[in-house]
């Protein structure tokens, strides 16, 4: 088996990403119920007890809801920086500290964390590497700092937040305090910001982009796709394959075995 990534859920109602690298399976976030996670994993042919790790991006409920139960029941290590683990209050879960910027190896899978600007205690994104393939996961960030460009540029699959359309948010029903939080430097990335991040980081080779963590009220899959594709087209970028990870159900699967790219030259 090669490298396979499945979006189980993506949004403020819950986030979970399954990464299968050879015989090694890990989750990035476990923000839905343990019962649903177990069901989804079994549907995907993964025994929950065979999970090697749950990597947390930060401590908000839509990223950790099922992590504690899954860890305790199936003895799966929960990996995150110390502040995130302290803030997650996972009880007697099996915890493994990995400092922001640190590297964790799980069999042949290498996972590197990097800091993100969000209103958690110490939020991170992840770069996951297996064989010659790389996956960048960056959700829940108020803006895209230049420091993440290298991770986006290096990756074959990019899972990037595209939370809201600014005009919809500003004109929408949210209270002004919540609008300010979302629009702030530690809030959430807009469709336009996601587009600009990709444009600034494009490699020129084929890459796959999943727009993630869409708002149910202030965005839609069609709106996000239209906005990002238009920006990329206007920028003359035609090497990016864009899809949307849906909020409330399993939606996308990316399999490295189905992708043809020229091997990196040395």
């Amino acid at each position: 088996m090669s490298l396979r990534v499945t979006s189980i859920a993506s949004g403020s109602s819950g986030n979970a990403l399954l990464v299968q690298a050879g015989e090694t399976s890990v989750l990035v976030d476990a923000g839905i119920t343990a019962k649903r996670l177990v069901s989804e994993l079994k549907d995907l042919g993964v025994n929950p007890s065979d999970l090697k790790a749950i990597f947390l991006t930060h401590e908000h409920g839509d990223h950790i809801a099922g992590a504690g139960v899954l860890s305790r029941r199936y003895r799966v290590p929960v990996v995150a920086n110390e502040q995130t683990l302290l803030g997650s209050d996972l009880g007697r879960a099996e915890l493994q500290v990995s400092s922001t910027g640190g590297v964790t190896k799980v069999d042949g899978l290498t996972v590197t964390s990097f800091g993100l600007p969000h209103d958690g205690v110490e939020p991170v994104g992840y770069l996951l590497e297996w064989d010659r393939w790389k996956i960048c996961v960056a959700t829940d960030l108020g803006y895209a700092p230049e420091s993440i460009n290298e991770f986006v540029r290096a990756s074959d699959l990019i899972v990037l937040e595209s939370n809201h359309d600014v005009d919809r948010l500003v004109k929408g029903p949210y209270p002004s305090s919540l609008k300010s939080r979302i629009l702030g430097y530690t809030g959430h990335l807009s469709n336009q910001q996601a587009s600009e991040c990709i444009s600034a980081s494009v490699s020129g080779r084929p890459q796959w982009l999943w727009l993630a963590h869409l708002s149910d009220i202030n965005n839609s899959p069609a709106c996000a796709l239209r906005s990002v594709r238009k920006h990329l087209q206007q920028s003359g970028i035609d090497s990016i394959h864009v899809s949307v990870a849906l909020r409330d159900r399993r939606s996308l699967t990316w399999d490295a075995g189905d992708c043809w790219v020229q091997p990196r030259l040395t």
Side-chain angles (χ1 to χ4, degrees), residues 16-244:
L17 193 75
L18 174 66
V19 179
Q20 297 169 271
E23 300 302 317
T24 300
S25 296
V26 303
L27 286 173
V28 178
D29 288 329
I32 57 178
T33 66
K35 180 179 179 180
R36 182 180 162 199
L37 279 168
V38 169
S39 176
E40 294 282 2
L41 290 170
K42 288 182 176 179
D43 281 350
L44 291 164
V46 177
N47 188 322
S49 62
D50 290 336
L51 278 176
K52 294 300 180 69
I54 301 168
F55 289 89
L56 298 183
T57 58
H58 61 296
E59 79 282 3
H60 290 167
D62 57 325
H63 295 260
I64 70 167
V69 173
L70 201 65
S71 173
R72 293 190 296 271
R73 185 174 299 167
Y74 297 100
R75 302 185 63 82
V76 183
V78 179
V79 184
N81 58 56
E82 185 174 12
Q83 291 304 309
T84 294
L85 292 175
L86 288 172
S88 297
D89 190 20
L90 299 176
R92 294 182 177 275
E94 296 195 16
L95 308 181
Q96 180 178 329
V97 176
S98 179
S99 300
T100 300
V103 177
T104 302
K105 291 188 178 294
V106 185
D107 297 335
L109 183 67
T110 301
V111 184
T112 305
S113 66
F114 52 89
L116 291 178
H118 189 54
D119 57 2
V121 289
E122 195 175 334
V124 300
Y126 288 105
L127 180 73
L128 300 99
E129 302 175 70
W130 188 79
D131 195 12
R132 60 186 177 88
W133 302 96
K134 297 183 180 181
I135 305 154
C136 177
V137 181
T139 61
D140 291 71
L141 61 163
Y143 70 98
E146 289 186 9
S147 57
I148 75 168
N149 288 358
E150 62 177 297
F151 301 107
V152 173
R153 184 176 297 112
S155 295
D156 302 290
L157 173 64
I158 305 152
V159 184
L160 180 67
E161 179 172 60
S162 193
N163 176 258
H164 60 276
D165 173 82
V166 172
D167 190 55
R168 285 194 186 194
L169 174 62
V170 170
K171 295 178 180 178
Y174 283 7
S176 57
S177 59
L178 182 54
K179 291 179 182 178
S180 296
R181 172 186 173 262
I182 293 170
L183 292 168
Y185 284 131
T186 57
H188 291 279
L189 215 62
S190 70
N191 296 336
Q192 180 66 23
Q193 288 172 304
S195 302
E196 291 169 353
C197 175
I198 294 300
S199 296
S201 310
V202 67
S203 69
R205 72 181 192 284
Q207 292 174 287
W208 288 259
L209 169 64
W210 289 0
L211 304 177
H213 211 293
L214 270 66
S215 169
D216 189 36
I217 302 297
N218 305 309
N219 210 353
S220 71
C223 178
L225 275 175
R226 182 169 59 249
S227 176
V228 173
R229 284 175 173 169
K230 180 179 179 181
H231 181 94
L232 295 178
Q233 184 179 36
Q234 290 175 341
S235 301
I237 298 170
D238 60 5
S239 57
I240 308 290
H241 307 268
V242 188
S243 303
V244 172

